Amino acid sequence: MSESSDSGGGGELDRTIGLAGAMTIGTGTMIGAGIFVFPGLAAGRAGPAAAVSFAIGAVIALLVALPASELATAMPESGGGYYFISRGLGTLPGAVVGIGLTLGLMFASAFYLVGLGEYAAAILAEASIVNTTSISVGPIGIVPLFGIVAGILLTILSVFGTENTESLQNAVVGFLLAILAIFLSISGLDLLGVRGTSRLPEQFAPRGFGPILTTAALVFTSYLGFAQIATVAEDIVEPDRNLPLAMIGSVILVGVLYIVTLFIAGSTFEPSVIGAMGETAIVELAREYLGFGGVVVILLAGLLATISSANASILSASRALYGLSSDALLPEAAAKVNREYGTPHLALSFVGGVTVVLVATGRTEVLAEVASFLHLIMYGLICVALVVIRRREPAWYDPAFECPGYPTVPIIGGVASFALIGFMQPLSQLLGVILVLLAVAWYLYYARGIQLKDNL
């Protein structure tokens, strides 16, 4: 096959996303999963110690965000981790990671949309429009139906311009941060006994310390947002400045929010109780501390947060697909850019279509862990790619940001990323391996022999 072009035959994307937009793509994605979907699942496994699980995830994410920020300022192109790895480690690892990244983001998008359906159904139940026993009635069910409709609408919104996605993210994330600041302050003061009797738990890890690492593997989906910023790098203005600020800043901000939220949630309810609450456990937490008014606000916030997460993930998955197609590793149609709106409309349509099909499965934990599996492979290889590129010193490599603590930081980040995969449930590991093998098979069938140009 012929050598591919880095610019892609379908056209270039418009740079329309500023620092605030980049931050909200990362922060909005991570808040949706970590705070509005995972507290019941995580605290149900580990109790208050689930806060440590999120802290472990934050450390690993930061150890990857630093090398990724250096690579992103040297290669501010669509595809993010795929682009870095393909230029650092070669076409086969790049193709496997690129396909895995696209699939992982679609799995994550579906996971967020199922959470969105849960919140929409909970709002209807709270308003007595439906009762909880009828939520799943019908050939599809109310929960996935809401997710499917939202997925279609978000895809259409993205097709009509990236600035639409940025505007939605900025508004939603600003509102969410204000709500969370108030909610966590009030519930935290109550928990500590400042406003009454202390509710601190007698046992920090009622189920032992074993579940901490398995829970960290489950909830790592919460930290996928910073990598999504790199995936849309070609849409970001002033990438030398805005990419590292957005990637590192979003991890630190949401990491603090996660730890506080999970400690409060795990301290308020017993693991068996909060685990049974499922994806909307944060609603019951609001009911406990703020009453009905708090429930209404958190239900609205949860709906917006899951919209935000799904919105950013669909956008990022389409850009990963666009990057693969630009390099001729996928059919060139995915790299076509709509002349009027400056967006890869065919890539977005494909991503949105597959995502809504996945929503119908409703398997939230499996969707989340498979997304984490595929991203952890990419994160580990990003760290390896930085070391390889630094040792090779290609003429085009001139990053505006350099990873502090090199080479220790990328080495630890890579080892930690690969190690966390070992703590996932066997089904997620199996599905993840199958998807990686399918990506290898696609490369051997379609893309073997393609030689990628260097970045510049």
Side-chain angles (χ1 to χ4, degrees):
M1 292 190 178
S2 62
E3 192 176 66
S4 72
S5 167
D6 283 344
S7 62
E12 295 183 357
L13 302 175
D14 294 334
R15 291 192 183 274
T16 58
I17 300 177
L19 176 59
M23 277 286 291
T24 55
I25 285 174
T27 305
T29 304
M30 294 188 276
I31 286 178
I35 292 179
F36 291 96
V37 179
F38 269 133
L41 301 174
R45 287 188 178 193
V52 178
S53 301
F54 276 91
I56 291 170
V59 170
I60 295 174
L62 194 57
L63 288 171
V64 178
L66 290 168
S69 294
E70 175 175 329
L71 293 168
T73 60
M75 297 174 273
E77 306 288 341
S78 284
Y82 153 70
Y83 200 93
F84 311 152
I85 292 163
S86 64
R87 270 56 183 181
L89 304 179
T91 310
L92 174 58
V96 170
V97 165
I99 294 170
L101 172 61
T102 304
L103 293 171
L105 286 169
M106 288 191 290
F107 272 74
S109 301
F111 167 65
Y112 303 139
L113 288 170
V114 171
L116 182 152
E118 295 276 1
Y119 274 94
I123 289 173
L124 294 179
E126 203 70 36
S128 300
I129 296 173
V130 301
N131 59 61
T132 55
T133 58
S134 67
I135 284 176
S136 297
V137 171
I140 295 179
I142 292 178
V143 169
L145 183 60
F146 274 119
I148 289 169
V149 172
I152 294 170
L153 293 177
L154 290 174
T155 301
I156 294 172
L157 180 71
S158 293
V159 167
F160 284 104
T162 305
E163 64 274 11
N164 295 326
T165 302
E166 180 184 9
S167 298
L168 177 62
Q169 288 295 105
N170 290 346
V172 169
V173 173
F175 180 67
L176 287 175
L177 290 176
I179 290 176
L180 288 172
I182 296 171
F183 170 60
L184 294 177
S185 296
I186 294 174
S187 57
L189 290 174
D190 281 357
L191 184 71
L192 295 173
V194 175
R195 298 180 358 125
T197 305
S198 173
R199 304 176 65 166
L200 290 172
E202 295 182 2
Q203 290 183 298
F204 179 69
R207 294 188 170 175
F209 289 93
I212 290 177
L213 286 175
T214 58
T215 303
L218 167 67
V219 304
F220 197 76
T221 308
S222 303
Y223 289 101
L224 305 188
F226 80 87
Q228 295 188 23
I229 298 170
T231 306
V232 298
E234 199 169 335
D235 297 86
I236 294 175
V237 299
E238 296 185 58
D240 287 355
R241 169 182 176 270
N242 292 336
L243 279 169
L245 284 176
M247 292 171 72
I248 297 167
S250 61
V251 171
I252 294 172
L253 173 62
V254 299
V256 172
L257 290 173
Y258 288 163
I259 292 167
V260 173
T261 301
L262 265 294
F263 180 73
I264 294 172
S267 301
T268 303
F269 300 110
E270 292 293 325
S272 58
V273 175
I274 196 169
M277 294 175 182
E279 287 81 357
T280 55
I282 193 75
V283 176
E284 299 309 314
L285 194 66
R287 194 189 308 275
E288 184 75 12
Y289 288 106
L290 302 175
F292 179 75
V295 168
V296 172
V297 173
I298 290 296
L299 280 171
L300 177 60
L303 187 66
L304 292 174
T306 49
I307 288 173
S308 171
S309 293
N311 182 45
S313 297
I314 290 170
L315 174 68
S316 299
S318 71
R319 294 323 191 255
L321 201 61
Y322 170 88
L324 284 163
S325 181
S326 296
D327 283 337
L329 300 180
L330 288 176
E332 64 179 10
K336 290 186 181 299
V337 175
N338 184 284
R339 292 182 180 180
E340 182 176 356
Y341 303 112
T343 58
H345 54 291
L346 296 178
L348 277 164
S349 299
F350 176 80
V351 167
V354 174
T355 298
V356 298
V357 171
L358 291 171
V359 170
T361 68
R363 297 294 302 275
T364 53
E365 284 196 50
V366 174
L367 290 174
E369 280 204 347
V370 172
S372 291
F373 180 102
L374 296 169
H375 276 77
L376 283 166
I377 290 176
M378 180 182 73
Y379 290 170
L381 291 178
I382 283 175
C383 295
V384 174
L386 176 61
V387 175
V388 170
I389 292 175
R390 282 267 201 122
R391 290 175 64 88
R392 203 173 65 211
E393 295 184 346
W396 54 261
Y397 190 71
D398 185 25
F401 172 87
E402 291 191 359
C403 174
Y406 176 88
T408 303
V409 167
I411 290 173
I412 296 176
V415 170
S417 297
F418 292 133
L420 197 58
I421 293 173
F423 294 95
M424 293 182 173
Q425 57 181 310
L427 177 59
S428 301
Q429 293 172 331
L430 176 62
L431 290 174
V433 169
I434 290 173
L435 291 174
V436 168
L437 292 176
L438 288 174
V440 172
W442 173 262
Y443 169 81
L444 294 175
Y445 166 73
Y446 184 85
R448 183 170 54 182
I450 288 178
Q451 298 296 317
L452 301 176
K453 293 179 179 179
D454 277 342
N455 185 60
L456 293 173

